[in-house]
Amino acid sequence: MNSATADITDRRVLVVDDDPAVRDVVCDYLDAAGLIVDRAADGFSAVEAVRRTRPDAIVLDRMLPGIDGLEVYRRLRAEVGPIPVVMLSALGATDQRIDGLELGIDDYLPKPFSPRELVLRVSALLRRSVDDTTPEAPFRLGRFWLDASNHLVTLDGEPLVLSMREFDLLAYLLKHPDRVLSRDQLLRAVWGWEFGDRSTVTVHVRRLREKVEADPSNPTTLQTVWGVGYRFVSEVAA
């Protein structure tokens, strides 16, 4: 077992794809990485499988019979809360990928894809969801209070409802206030990618602004530094 998968062995992943060839290849690679793998062939079966087994992550095809992947995600998020998801799609248009990211989906891979890359993406999601053996002490920054070990962040005393990636991004920004961070830096630190689509960061920043800014179109806390990236301002008047 290599170090990249040692801390996620025996975590449960649900693979949802109506193409049996794709489904079998993905399941074989995830199984070889030491994961417990369940499978479903359509949207309704996926929802039932999640209710039954409560997986730690889902590999979810966008185009499914019955209900599509986006609707599956909407139903699961409403019913069981945020679940780490890697979405697969033969639809290559950027706006279609952004649709999924806007909903809170954590990661997106276009078909055809490398099964090895998919395993790395799933592993990164799972490692971020595993509790650290040494809990981080909660801390306060301005109007925010972060308890990373319990996956909790509040704004003015009210808990924020965030996807896993949104939480990871906000936690990283809270730990690095007043620094200008490029999209590439955030991709490496939060997503664990050495390269990737920078629009992923842009979409998640926009979603965070909708939850932490009084006026998301005129942000004062999570500011854009044009041509560079973003800065989280630690001291903003309430």
Side-chain angles (χ1 to χ4, degrees), residues 30 55 61 66 96-97 101 114 127 164 169 183 215:
L30 293 173
D61 188 28
Q96 292 167 335
R97 181 174 66 253
L101 296 173
S114 161
R127 284 197 301 273
M164 190 179 78
L169 177 57
R183 291 173 180 82
D215 179 4

Side-chain angles (χ1 to χ4, degrees), residues 25-40:
V25 168
V26 171
C27 289
D28 287 347
Y29 270 79
L30 293 173
D31 180 73
L35 297 163
I36 300 169
V37 185
D38 301 309
R39 58 188 73 196

Side-chain angles (χ1 to χ4, degrees), residues 49-69:
V50 171
R51 290 169 178 164
R52 185 174 65 253
T53 66
R54 294 300 174 97
D56 299 296
I58 305 174
V59 176
L60 179 62
D61 188 28
R62 174 162 177 160
M63 303 299 291
L64 292 169
I67 53 176
D68 71 8

Side-chain angles (χ1 to χ4, degrees), residues 3-226:
S3 59
T5 58
D7 56 350
I8 59 159
T9 302
D10 295 333
R11 304 278 279 180
R12 184 177 292 275
V13 178
L14 173 65
V15 176
V16 187
D17 199 301
D18 62 322
D19 184 331
V22 173
R23 192 170 62 243
D24 288 347
V25 168
V26 171
C27 289
D28 287 347
Y29 270 79
L30 293 173
D31 180 73
L35 297 163
I36 300 169
V37 185
D38 301 309
R39 58 188 73 196
D42 61 71
F44 291 114
S45 299
V47 172
E48 288 303 317
V50 171
R51 290 169 178 164
R52 185 174 65 253
T53 66
R54 294 300 174 97
D56 299 296
I58 305 174
V59 176
L60 179 62
D61 188 28
R62 174 162 177 160
M63 303 299 291
L64 292 169
I67 53 176
D68 71 8
L70 292 182
E71 180 59 25
V72 170
Y73 182 78
R74 288 189 189 97
R75 296 188 184 191
L76 294 177
R77 186 173 175 84
E79 184 172 329
V80 301
I83 298 178
V85 170
V86 177
M87 179 159 277
L88 308 177
S89 179
L91 303 174
T94 298
D95 58 344
Q96 292 167 335
R97 181 174 66 253
I98 287 176
D99 285 346
L101 296 173
E102 289 279 14
L103 279 180
I105 288 169
D106 301 281
D107 205 347
Y108 214 107
L109 273 181
K111 292 182 177 180
F113 57 87
S114 161
R116 292 180 62 189
E117 180 180 1
L118 176 61
V119 171
L120 291 174
R121 298 286 184 98
V122 172
S123 299
L125 282 181
L126 289 171
R127 284 197 301 273
R128 291 183 179 279
S129 68
V130 174
D131 289 338
D132 198 336
T133 55
T134 305
E136 288 187 44
F139 74 93
R140 182 176 298 279
L141 182 70
R143 301 161 60 205
F144 294 86
W145 183 79
L146 173 69
D147 183 353
S149 297
N150 290 307
H151 206 80
L152 175 66
V153 62
T154 66
L155 173 59
D156 295 331
E158 294 296 323
L160 294 173
V161 179
L162 304 171
S163 72
M164 190 179 78
R165 283 295 192 205
E166 291 167 359
F167 179 89
D168 289 343
L169 177 57
L170 181 54
Y172 187 80
L173 293 168
L174 287 169
K175 294 173 185 177
H176 300 83
D178 304 312
R179 289 177 51 185
V180 178
L181 300 166
S182 71
R183 291 173 180 82
D184 288 335
Q185 285 177 292
L186 292 171
L187 277 174
R188 286 193 295 270
V190 178
W191 279 261
W193 303 351
E194 287 301 321
F195 58 91
D197 187 347
R198 295 174 182 172
S199 67
T200 299
V201 178
T202 304
V203 169
H204 281 78
V205 167
R206 183 163 65 243
R207 287 176 55 83
L208 270 185
R209 283 174 172 160
E210 292 172 356
K211 299 177 181 182
V212 306
E213 299 280 3
D215 179 4
S217 63
N218 185 30
T220 58
T221 297
L222 184 42
Q223 298 179 348
T224 298
V225 180
W226 294 107

